[in-house]
Amino acid sequence: MKDIQIKKLISAEKKRQKKVINLIASENYVSKDVLEALGSELTNKYAEGYSRFRYYGGNENVDKIEDLCKARALKLFGLKPEKWHVNVQSLSGSPANTAVYLALVPPIVREGRLVQQKIMGMSLDQGGHLTHGHKVSATGKFWIQVPYGVDKDTEVLDYANLKEIALREKPAIIVSGYTAYPRIIDWKKMREIADACGAILMVDMSHIAGLVAGRAYLSPFEYADVVTTTVHKTLRGPRAALIFVRSDKKDASGKLLDWHKKIDKAVFPGLQGGPHVNQIAAVAVALKEASTPAFRRYAAQINKNAKVLADGLANMGWKVISGGTDSHLILIDTWMSGQKNSKGAGAVPGKIASDKLEKMGIIVNKNAIPFDTRPPTDPSGIRLGTAAETTRGKREKDFKIIAKKIDEILREAQSYPV
Ligand SMILES: Cc1ncc(COP(=O)(O)O)c(C=O)c1O
């Protein structure tokens, strides 16, 4: 590379990534093949439209790449092409979610007035994502969020309470699948709730997609109408998103709803212009990698490592939200741990916890915990994930050491002036 400044910065970032222990739950390390596809000549190509319906010439190779990517996506999650459609053009998770709302529950103009529809989504402070209807996101401005959360005592989903909210509020769409929820989600119960109030069931499996692909987490496809996912978390691909949608759904009169056509239109031309073809090729590469037996072993290992990390920290006196994990993700209440626990772990605000850990080479993110009383800029907890370090070959014995190290650093942080 001739640009020395950027070359040096990339090289510094490469070194940083090698040096640290990365416990950011939403990050991972992609393969050289994924990087090669991302850095290929495909980045030069404009391809507005979809396979065989492009607004530009010269797309014979791009059409094949997009078709292959779609076929691999459906195959990986065991979906029949006559029942499911997949859009692979969304640039990332947030536009993918927005595209679904725009397609299936759009704001309606009635008698000259804008009528906003309701999205029932988990609130941000309880573990939901901004695009599940939070007011700072466009999804909270053009739609009305019906918020829900976890039970205060168990810190897991209370499906009876969710049903009550759904029946009262009658949302047009219910979003399940979260950003900071460590436990298994009962998709069947979510389906029953959606059916009870006549809502569409959307699952945002961004965090758990790699685990679903590797059969280490229950698949939502049997129950959901729409499934969105980022590709760059546990699925270990490039920054991108996929939207899966049932193409065989009919209305009460038996007419096909054609949701897939609406989704495609919402992505392009609704929200985006030309797709990032290099990104689509890299997604295809990652999907192939995720279909191997090695990836299944990887997904199982992510879970094992997360359990060891959660148990290790709990045994050393740290409050693990919901008491454990069924995924790659762990939430620790670093603030209340010290105040509630007789084992003496100290009260450390989330920001200090993440800063102190970073200084010692362990990268995490500060995170709100359910019913947090502290501000989002300095919440009560931290979020940990095991996907990235599992990619680098770490096993249970390594995560026992990591748990010990985290405990040591956080105990030292107790003396930090709060
Ligand atoms: C559940 C969930 N959905 C959507 C997104 C948004 O993805 P992106 O950052 O690619 O827009 C995230 C990101 O963390 C997420 O956790």
Side-chain angles (χ1 to χ4, degrees):
M1 188 186 283
K2 290 197 200 76
D3 185 332
I4 301 300
Q5 274 175 302
I6 290 294
K7 188 177 174 169
K8 273 191 182 158
L9 287 169
I10 292 175
S11 159
E13 173 58 13
K14 217 164 144 180
K15 274 195 198 124
R16 185 199 69 79
Q17 289 188 13
K18 279 213 171 114
K19 203 171 67 187
V20 299
I21 293 172
N22 183 3
L23 299 181
I24 302 238
S26 49
E27 290 186 6
N28 214 326
Y29 296 99
V30 299
S31 68
K32 284 217 158 54
D33 288 2
V34 167
L35 287 179
E36 204 175 304
L38 277 176
S40 68
E41 289 70 12
L42 292 168
T43 201
N44 300 333
K45 191 70 199 99
Y46 241 111
E48 274 186 1
Y50 291 98
S51 277
R52 290 166 293 284
F53 302 98
R54 306 280 184 189
Y55 290 84
Y56 293 77
N59 275 303
E60 63 270 26
N61 301 313
V62 169
D63 280 3
K64 285 182 192 151
I65 289 169
E66 186 165 3
D67 289 348
L68 188 56
C69 186
K70 289 165 80 169
R72 285 182 181 176
L74 293 176
K75 188 160 176 235
L76 179 63
F77 293 102
L79 307 174
K80 291 202 169 84
E82 58 276 18
K83 287 191 178 226
W84 284 88
H85 170 81
V86 61
N87 182 298
V88 299
Q89 291 196 4
S90 264
L91 303 178
S92 218
S94 300
N97 287 349
T98 311
V100 173
Y101 308 141
L102 202 58
L104 305 186
V105 292
I108 308 159
V109 179
R110 203 176 281 152
E111 291 164 8
R113 290 184 56 200
L114 192 71
V115 181
Q116 294 170 287
Q117 303 208 58
K118 289 182 182 175
I119 298 171
M120 181 164 154
M122 187 183 271
S123 26
L124 189 71
D125 57 330
Q126 298 263 317
H129 188 256
L130 287 166
T131 57
H132 298 174
H134 190 277
K135 62 179 185 306
V136 300
S137 144
T139 64
K141 297 187 196 301
F142 297 103
W143 289 270
I144 298 164
Q145 190 196 41
V146 175
Y148 67 91
V150 295
D151 177 77
K152 202 160 188 172
D153 295 325
T154 61
E155 295 166 334
V156 297
L157 289 167
D158 171 356
Y159 297 95
N161 177 247
L162 259 60
K163 191 170 180 180
E164 239 177 76
I165 299 172
L167 288 174
R168 185 178 67 235
E169 297 287 344
K170 301 220 171 359
I173 190 164
I174 298 179
V175 184
S176 185
Y178 314 103
T179 294
Y181 186 74
R183 310 315 297 244
I184 203 80
I185 301 162
D186 191 332
W187 307 122
K188 189 165 182 259
K189 286 208 175 114
M190 294 306 301
R191 174 80 259 166
E192 284 162 14
I193 294 165
D195 285 343
C197 68
I200 292 169
L201 179 61
M202 164 173 156
V203 171
D204 175 352
M205 65 166 187
S206 290
H207 261 274
I208 49 172
L211 303 177
V212 173
R215 313 288 191 270
Y217 195 100
L218 207 63
S219 170
F221 284 99
E222 192 183 337
Y223 301 104
D225 297 310
V226 196
V227 177
T228 60
T229 183
T230 52
V231 186
H232 45 276
K233 299 184 174 73
T234 51
L235 197 48
R236 211 164 61 184
R239 312 200 77 79
L242 306 171
I243 305 172
F244 297 90
V245 59
R246 290 283 299 259
S247 52
D248 61 345
K249 277 266 182 174
K250 293 180 180 158
D251 67 13
S253 69
K255 196 171 146 253
L256 274 175
L257 286 164
D258 283 341
W259 279 345
H260 56 299
K261 291 183 187 165
K262 291 181 180 171
I263 295 270
D264 279 355
K265 274 191 192 153
V267 174
F268 171 82
L271 283 170
Q272 296 178 189
H276 296 185
V277 184
N278 55 326
Q279 192 188 33
I280 294 173
V283 171
V285 172
L287 294 171
K288 189 168 184 206
E289 290 172 358
S291 67
T292 58
F295 195 90
R296 277 199 195 186
R297 289 195 292 278
Y298 165 65
Q301 191 64 49
I302 290 176
N303 275 1
K304 285 185 209 160
N305 289 346
K307 281 193 177 28
V308 166
L309 184 57
D311 289 351
L313 288 167
N315 290 338
M316 286 182 267
W318 297 95
K319 184 178 185 306
V320 178
I321 297 296
S322 81
T325 180
D326 302 315
S327 62
H328 63 303
L329 191 149
I330 300 150
L331 264 183
I332 306 287
D333 183 341
T334 52
W335 180 245
M336 280 309 286
S337 288
Q339 296 169 20
K340 268 191 183 163
N341 207 289
S342 58
K343 289 194 180 173
V348 187
K351 185 172 173 347
I352 290 174
S354 74
D355 288 353
K356 287 277 168 187
L357 288 165
E358 180 161 2
K359 275 211 179 92
M360 301 306 288
I362 299 178
I363 313 297
V364 306
N365 66 280
K366 57 178 181 284
N367 215 96
I369 51 126
F371 308 99
D372 210 326
T373 50
R374 297 181 56 81
T377 45
D378 187 9
S380 294
I382 52 173
R383 188 183 67 160
L384 314 174
T386 54
E389 288 302 324
T390 306
T391 295
R392 297 171 89 191
K394 294 209 172 48
R395 299 285 176 266
E396 289 98 317
K397 65 176 178 12
D398 305 301
F399 275 92
K400 275 186 192 155
I401 297 168
I402 292 172
K404 188 109 206 334
K405 197 130 191 70
I406 292 175
D407 175 64
E408 276 167 27
I409 297 165
L410 292 186
R411 271 171 201 275
E412 221 166 84
Q414 282 176 262
S415 54
Y416 199 92
V418 176

